[in-house]
Amino acid sequence: MTAGIPSSPVDTSKPHPARVYDWLLGGKDNYPVDQEVAEKLPAEARANAARNRAFMHRASAWLARQGVDQFLDIGTGIPTAPNLHQIVQAVTPRARVVYADNDPIVLRHAEALLVSSPEGATDYIHADVRQPEEILERAAGLLDFTRPVALSLIALMHFLPDDQDPYGITRGLVGALPSGSHLVLSHGTADQHPELRQETESAYRKGAIALRMRTRAEVEPFFEGLELVGPGLVTAPEWYQEEPAPVYERSGFYVGVARVP
Ligand SMILES: C[S@@+](CC[C@H](N)C(=O)[O-])C[C@H]1O[C@@H](n2cnc3c(N)ncnc32)[C@H](O)[C@@H]1O
């Protein structure tokens, strides 16, 4: 809900994850401070960002084809077409999508996320995932939490260090969803690029951004109590359903889609 939210100024003196990611995807909504971080990242970072985004496309379209028509996407990022609502409304025009992000630059570009199909609806919440109750309460303005919802936490939780309780926050969000809902999660990892861990973490650290890449064993608990569907917990290019396999390459993301029993 953008109306009435005071737009905090965009701070161009320090890098922000949304703008670094925008640079990696070839976008223009970033500043020299963001570029400085992005350029210090290993060359693979751009391909990894594109593969993560492609996973979001495949998983969201697949869920829409299964009949899911309500989506809550937290850590949305700067709009990059196609956005989630464009993907799912191409399958189900009446689909409803609520986006949430804590970055003022995403709020500034929120209009692009609010152009819905006439039959469906989209909304945007300027909020922090560390205040999950606020997001759930405001999302209930558009979503019916007595019916299945797909919750996307895509390339978000690695920005929460362990002491900020990423697992507890995820459990709390998932706990608010009825049976038949899904969690769609992707998470940065260095398991397939161990030699790039230091370079990646140090590029973000120099920009004062905490990045906590996690191993497979550390990503698994995000899905505790849920039923992984399709190929399970795999790297981004390995997650596909009912479509030709994407080209297999090493990836910096673990991904999974899981059903709430
Ligand atoms: C790497 S981008 C991912 C964008 C999109 N989900 C995707 O995968 O294409 C991470 C996003 O998470 C947002 N973010 C980071 N920490 C957050 C927090 N504590 N609460 C809400 N959003 C957050 C950033 O502002 C950024 O837009």
Side-chain angles (χ1 to χ4, degrees):
M1 311 197 177
T2 47
I5 293 173
S7 57
S8 359
V10 170
D11 181 354
T12 58
S13 69
K14 53 182 186 9
H16 278 220
R19 301 179 332 215
V20 172
Y21 185 70
D22 177 71
W23 186 93
L24 293 173
L25 289 176
K28 300 273 178 284
D29 296 303
N30 48 72
Y31 297 87
V33 282
D34 308 305
Q35 291 158 26
E36 212 175 298
V37 171
E39 280 164 2
K40 285 197 187 90
L41 288 169
E44 284 84 347
R46 295 180 83 143
N48 278 332
R51 286 177 205 133
N52 171 63
R53 192 85 192 159
F55 158 71
M56 183 277 274
H57 294 180
R58 291 193 299 277
S60 306
W62 180 76
L63 284 167
R65 291 198 300 274
Q66 305 316 299
V68 179
D69 61 0
Q70 305 196 95
F71 295 81
L72 173 57
D73 177 53
I74 308 178
T76 297
I78 294 167
T80 304
N83 294 294
L84 193 150
H85 72 283
Q86 290 154 330
I87 308 264
V88 300
Q89 289 182 344
V91 179
T92 307
R94 66 164 192 288
R96 297 182 154 222
V97 180
V98 174
Y99 292 109
D101 202 289
N102 70 346
D103 194 315
I105 199 161
V106 182
L107 174 62
R108 185 188 273 187
H109 290 279
E111 313 86 73
L113 301 169
L114 297 172
V115 184
S116 169
S117 64
E119 304 88 336
T122 61
D123 207 344
Y124 180 78
I125 301 171
H126 182 62
D128 196 298
V129 73
R130 290 165 295 187
Q131 269 97 50
E133 298 82 13
E134 183 192 346
I135 295 182
L136 290 167
E137 195 184 314
R138 292 169 60 189
L142 189 68
L143 306 180
D144 171 1
F145 281 95
T146 65
R147 292 202 305 109
V149 173
L151 166 69
S152 311
L153 304 176
I154 301 184
L156 169 64
M157 283 306 179
H158 45 238
F159 293 115
L160 265 59
D162 294 354
D163 63 5
Q164 294 186 5
D165 197 19
Y167 302 110
I169 290 171
T170 304
R171 263 196 311 278
L173 286 163
V174 169
L177 308 179
S179 171
S181 295
H182 288 82
L183 169 67
V184 184
L185 182 137
S186 77
H187 196 294
T189 184
D191 280 6
Q192 296 207 320
H193 301 91
E195 74 285 8
L196 303 181
R197 171 187 283 276
Q198 212 187 343
E199 200 179 339
T200 306
E201 287 181 344
S202 113
Y204 278 101
R205 200 167 39 243
K206 282 188 187 131
I209 298 173
L211 178 80
R212 172 72 165 87
M213 291 195 284
R214 292 187 168 94
T215 63
R216 187 190 164 86
E218 291 168 329
V219 175
E220 265 167 356
F222 285 106
F223 296 99
E224 208 174 270
L226 305 177
E227 298 162 354
L228 281 158
V229 301
L233 177 59
V234 291
T235 63
E238 293 174 295
W239 200 101
Y240 63 96
Q241 302 253 49
E242 303 158 6
E243 56 209 333
V247 176
Y248 180 75
E249 287 153 308
R250 290 196 310 174
S251 165
F253 284 91
Y254 279 123
V255 308
V257 178
R259 186 178 179 280
V260 178

